[in-house]
Amino acid sequence: GLKRAEILAAAANGIALLVVAALVTYDAVSRLVHPSHVDGAVLIVVAAVGVVVNLAATLIMARANRQSLNVEGAYRHILTDLYGFTVTLIAGVVIVVWGFNRADSIASLAVVLLMLKAAAELLRPALHILLEATPEDIDLQEVRRHLLELPEVTSVHDLHAWTLTSSLPILTAHVVVTEECFTTGDAGRVLDHLQGCLAGHFDVA
């Protein structure tokens, strides 16, 4: 009964990225206008450690089952961190070689763009699910056509499809069947036919 918790967590993850991006933007712009001394050597060491750790984590997460929106969100977080540390490493080298302290602020703004991209890629599917939109790979007219091909079905009304949580699309419909289904006691078998049709053609419950 709490399957939506995964989607809520993914949405919260995306919103958290937006909040952190806003904070980093404010700080980066402030330091861009009023640059302060940055120890490039320390920046290089910290960024290099971050690249190694996140590269290892990325390789591990890449082999995980990322059909879950939360697992995909964690993967994108780590990937964003990897890119961010790489940009920071480059900024540290620029500061050490050329003494251009604003490189740190510019690197921060580049990281913000990466965070915004990751947030959008998380929030879009999460909101799509929370708003109960029809899954993008399901054509309701095609679903209706397949259901009407069953000999017991005469009409289909109130057809709705949405996603409950990651990889769990579901469908409801008002299906009108022939009178014979009830006089012969085959109503249960009709339901099996309907479910088999949906699962076989559309992978929908």
Side-chain angles (χ1 to χ4, degrees), residues 87-164:
V87 171
T88 305
L89 181 60
I90 295 170
V93 172
V94 169
I95 291 170
V96 168
V97 176
W98 290 285
F100 183 59
N101 286 326
R102 282 190 172 92
D104 181 47
S105 301
I106 294 171
S108 296
L109 292 175
V111 171
V112 165
L113 293 177
L114 293 170
M115 293 172 73
L116 291 175
K117 180 178 180 293
E121 290 172 345
L122 261 182
L123 284 172
R124 183 176 176 275
L127 292 177
H128 191 86
I129 292 173
L130 290 174
L131 293 174
E132 297 188 353
T134 302
E136 294 177 352
D137 58 343
I138 295 179
D139 182 346
L140 288 181
Q141 293 307 316
E142 187 71 7
V143 172
R144 187 189 305 275
R145 186 179 68 80
H146 271 273
L147 293 178
L148 288 171
E149 286 179 352
L150 295 175
E152 309 95 334
V153 177
T154 60
S155 62
V156 178
H157 308 286
D158 299 324
L159 183 61
H160 303 285
W162 69 96
T163 307
L164 187 62

